[in-house]
């Protein structure tokens, strides 16, 4: 099967190259905003699409020297991305495209991988050739097994990175015969695996909140457009970058361990975007417990539930496993022994006590076992998968099957 991956490296451009990278980033941002404004103003009256705007781009490049100096393929990719953004909007997969800001960081893509040779120079470094830029040194060497498809360059808090997307053929892996486990994602314990305990996340954002408050307070006191304000904004961006890296590192390690040691991972099909909506309400109908809901939303996003599901998805597929999704309804209120569901079963955030059979344990451990049971109930897993769940619960498979009725 064909696999597409991306390898991220840190670029170390010279002063001339960095200046040209900033120029390309400014040109792509200008073109995106211009094309978006054109569609907003004339889109309903005239048929505007990527092809019609590409013709106008050719004329614009002949009149503007700093646009002509930028690689034409990079500018064409901007119009292609804008077209895709509008398709996602009309299909209700995303919101309306927004204008790009200079402070958000530059990002652009070189679509031709053949024009980007990738060479090794030292143990952990090498050089990458980009159109009109020449050879750019980098750190983070890794042998690429397939064919380079494209290279995306971005600026993150003053540092330049390149994401090299490549494609290679992977032999169809043998199907794993390891047992299935349920994975419950929470706020206090980031991951709870059925029969294997819980894993606590780093809470990277919560730990950095004090530093972020101070840094953002400094930004608010600086004069807009001043050099000191740019330095303060860069300091905030670096703090956010550290938070992202700590979170991603933890989730990569957890997902790698799950994909290596388990055959099937069963998750709750959570609608995270709906779960973290604001509770502020409107002026006519103000929300309740807004501050508490805001803190809960912050904690959910800090755990990276969506990233964990994404990482586990492609890592298990490469190793012959699979990831399944089941309904999340009442998984924290259902007893894994007798199947009784009641709100009174959840005594507290961490304690579960069944009011019917008296079964008591950690609520996250109980929910992870219920998730596996849901997969069998819905036909996603064979009945044999309940054997491990029955052993963990200390009951027979027959009694467990009877509780499903």
């Amino acid at each position: 099967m064909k696999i597409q991956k991306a390898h991220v490296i840190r670029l170390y451009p010279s002063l001339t190259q960095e200046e040209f990278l900033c120029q390309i980033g400014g040109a792509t941002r200008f073109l995106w905003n211009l094309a978006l404004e054109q569609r907003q103003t004339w889109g309903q009256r005239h048929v505007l699409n990527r092809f019609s705007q590409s013709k106008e781009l050719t004329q614009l490049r002949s009149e503007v020297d700093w646009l002509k100096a930028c690689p034409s393929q990079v500018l064409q990719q901007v119009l292609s991305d804008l077209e895709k953004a509008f398709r996602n909007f009309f299909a209700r997969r995303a919101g309306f495209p927004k204008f790009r800001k200079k402070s958000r960081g530059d990002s652009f893509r070189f679509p031709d991988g053949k024009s980007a040779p990738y060479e090794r120079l030292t143990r952990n470094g090498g050089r990458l050739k980009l159109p009109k830029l020449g050879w750019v040194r980098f750190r983070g060497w890794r042998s690429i097994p397939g064919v380079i498809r494209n290279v995306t360059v971005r600026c993150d808090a003053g540092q330049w990175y390149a994401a090299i997307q490549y494609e290679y053929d992977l032999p169809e892996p043998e199907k794993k015969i390891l047992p299935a486990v349920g994975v419950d994602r929470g706020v206090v314990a980031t991951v709870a695996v059925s029969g294997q305990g819980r894993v606590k996340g780093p809470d990277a954002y919560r730990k950095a909140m004090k530093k972020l408050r101070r840094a953002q307070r400094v930004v608010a006191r600086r004069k807009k457009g001043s050099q000191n304000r740019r330095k303060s904004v860069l300091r905030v961006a670096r703090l956010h970058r550290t938070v992202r890296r700590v979170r991603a590192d933890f989730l990569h390690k957890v997902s790698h361990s799950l994909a290596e040691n388990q055959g099937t991972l069963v998750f709750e099909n959570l609608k995270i975007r709906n779960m973290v909506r604001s509770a502020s309400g409107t002026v006519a109908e103000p929300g309740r417990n807004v501050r508490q809901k805001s803190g809960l939303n912050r904690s959910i996003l800090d755990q990276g539930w969506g990233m964990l599901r994404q990482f586990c998805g492609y890592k298990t597929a490469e190793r012959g496993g699979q990831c399944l999704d089941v309904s999340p309804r009442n998984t924290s209120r259902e007893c894994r022994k007798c199947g009784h569901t009641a709100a009174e079963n959840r005594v507290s955030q961490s304690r579960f006590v069944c009011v019917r059979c008296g079964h008591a344990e950690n609520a996250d451990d109980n929910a992870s076992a219920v998730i596996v049971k849901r997969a069998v109930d819905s036909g996603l897993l064979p009945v044999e998968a309940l054997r491990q769940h029955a052993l963990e619960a200390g009951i027979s498979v027959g009694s467990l099957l009877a509780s499903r009725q």
Side-chain angles (χ1 to χ4, degrees):
M1 60 180 180
K2 289 189 177 296
I3 298 294
Q4 287 188 351
K5 277 189 173 183
H7 173 49
V8 181
I9 57 177
R10 180 178 174 184
L11 301 178
Y12 290 88
S14 63
L15 293 177
T16 305
Q17 290 173 335
E18 185 172 6
E19 183 179 352
F20 189 55
L21 286 172
C22 294
Q23 180 180 342
I24 297 176
T28 55
R29 182 175 61 253
F30 165 78
L31 180 60
W32 172 280
N33 293 339
L34 181 64
L36 178 56
E37 183 181 7
Q38 189 181 41
R39 289 204 179 195
Q40 283 184 335
T41 307
W42 306 101
Q44 295 181 352
R45 188 174 303 178
H46 304 279
V47 180
L48 294 178
N49 52 35
R50 177 167 62 94
F51 303 103
S52 62
Q53 290 184 317
S54 296
K55 295 179 181 179
E56 296 181 2
L57 174 61
T58 304
Q59 181 181 357
L60 183 62
R61 291 183 74 244
S62 64
E63 298 174 356
V64 183
D65 294 336
W66 54 271
L67 274 179
K68 187 177 182 180
C70 299
S72 60
Q73 291 181 333
V74 173
L75 300 178
Q76 293 290 343
Q77 286 296 301
V78 175
L79 300 179
S80 178
D81 292 342
L82 182 62
E83 182 80 13
K84 186 182 297 183
F86 271 99
R87 285 202 302 266
N88 291 334
F89 168 70
F90 290 121
R92 296 184 178 180
R93 292 190 295 265
F96 192 82
K98 298 180 180 179
F99 290 96
R100 293 182 178 178
K101 298 181 180 179
K102 185 177 182 179
S103 59
R104 293 292 183 179
D106 298 323
S107 176
F108 44 88
R109 181 168 61 255
F110 296 90
D112 187 10
K114 296 180 180 179
S115 63
Y118 176 77
E119 296 181 0
R120 184 176 187 178
L121 296 179
T122 62
R123 183 185 176 203
N124 193 35
R127 61 179 186 171
L128 176 69
K129 190 174 183 180
L130 298 174
K132 292 194 175 184
L133 274 164
W135 292 100
V136 184
R137 297 181 68 91
F138 68 84
R139 286 189 63 188
W141 164 265
R142 179 185 297 173
S143 178
I144 294 181
V147 180
I148 298 178
R149 291 301 183 186
N150 58 70
V151 178
T152 301
V153 179
R154 63 183 175 89
C155 181
D156 185 6
Q159 297 178 355
W160 289 93
Y161 296 88
I164 304 173
Q165 187 183 45
Y166 59 94
E167 184 180 72
Y168 67 100
D169 291 324
L170 180 69
E172 198 70 32
E174 296 183 2
K175 189 174 182 181
K176 280 191 175 182
I177 57 175
L178 296 174
V181 295
V183 181
D184 179 64
R185 291 165 288 181
V187 174
V188 177
T190 306
V191 180
V193 184
S194 58
Q196 300 182 24
R198 302 174 299 279
V199 180
K200 174 65 177 175
D203 291 334
Y205 183 77
R206 184 179 61 82
K207 293 179 180 178
M209 282 182 63
K210 188 175 182 180
K211 292 182 179 179
L212 281 170
R213 286 196 187 101
R214 290 178 178 176
Q216 289 166 343
R217 195 177 296 123
V218 172
V219 173
R221 293 170 179 170
R222 295 288 186 259
K223 183 179 179 181
K224 290 187 177 180
S226 65
Q227 189 65 24
N228 285 334
R229 192 176 194 275
R230 294 191 188 98
K231 294 179 182 178
S232 302
V233 170
L234 185 60
R235 189 179 301 113
V236 174
R238 287 172 178 168
L239 288 172
H240 280 292
R241 182 181 63 195
T242 301
V243 170
R244 292 196 307 270
R245 287 178 173 178
V246 171
R247 182 187 300 119
D249 178 74
F250 167 75
L251 295 176
H252 272 298
K253 290 176 180 177
V254 171
S255 59
H256 176 80
S257 176
L258 290 173
E260 282 285 341
N261 302 318
Q262 311 299 335
T264 301
L265 305 178
V266 186
F267 291 85
E268 295 174 289
N269 188 17
L270 300 175
K271 305 299 182 183
I272 302 176
R273 181 176 297 180
N274 297 338
M275 295 176 63
V276 296
R277 283 180 177 174
S278 175
S280 57
T282 61
V283 177
E285 297 181 1
R288 294 180 299 176
N289 299 326
V290 178
R291 189 170 183 178
Q292 292 84 343
K293 182 63 167 61
S294 177
L296 177 61
N297 294 347
R298 190 184 302 114
S299 299
I300 290 175
L301 295 174
D302 194 16
Q303 305 307 317
W305 292 353
M307 290 178 63
L308 177 64
R309 177 62 180 85
Q310 179 186 3
F311 292 167
C312 289
Y314 74 83
K315 290 179 181 180
T316 53
E318 292 176 358
R319 293 164 174 80
Q322 61 177 343
C323 285
L324 304 176
D325 296 293
V326 298
S327 173
R329 185 177 180 83
N330 288 328
T331 53
S332 61
R333 299 177 176 180
E334 180 180 341
C335 178
R336 69 181 178 119
K337 272 196 172 184
C338 65
H340 178 65
T341 302
E344 293 77 13
N345 290 348
R346 190 73 179 264
V347 179
S348 63
Q349 187 279 330
S350 60
R351 184 165 174 76
F352 180 93
V353 179
C354 181
V355 296
R356 174 186 288 180
C357 67
H359 172 67
E361 65 174 335
N362 184 275
D364 294 333
D365 293 339
N366 178 81
S368 61
V370 171
I371 291 172
V372 179
K373 182 183 173 185
R374 290 271 177 95
V376 179
D377 293 343
S378 58
L380 298 175
L381 287 176
V383 180
E384 289 76 8
L386 284 177
R387 188 177 303 278
Q388 181 69 20
H389 170 56
L391 292 175
E392 296 169 4
I395 57 178
S396 64
V397 179
S399 61
L400 183 60
L401 290 173
S403 68
R404 297 170 55 203
Q405 304 300 327

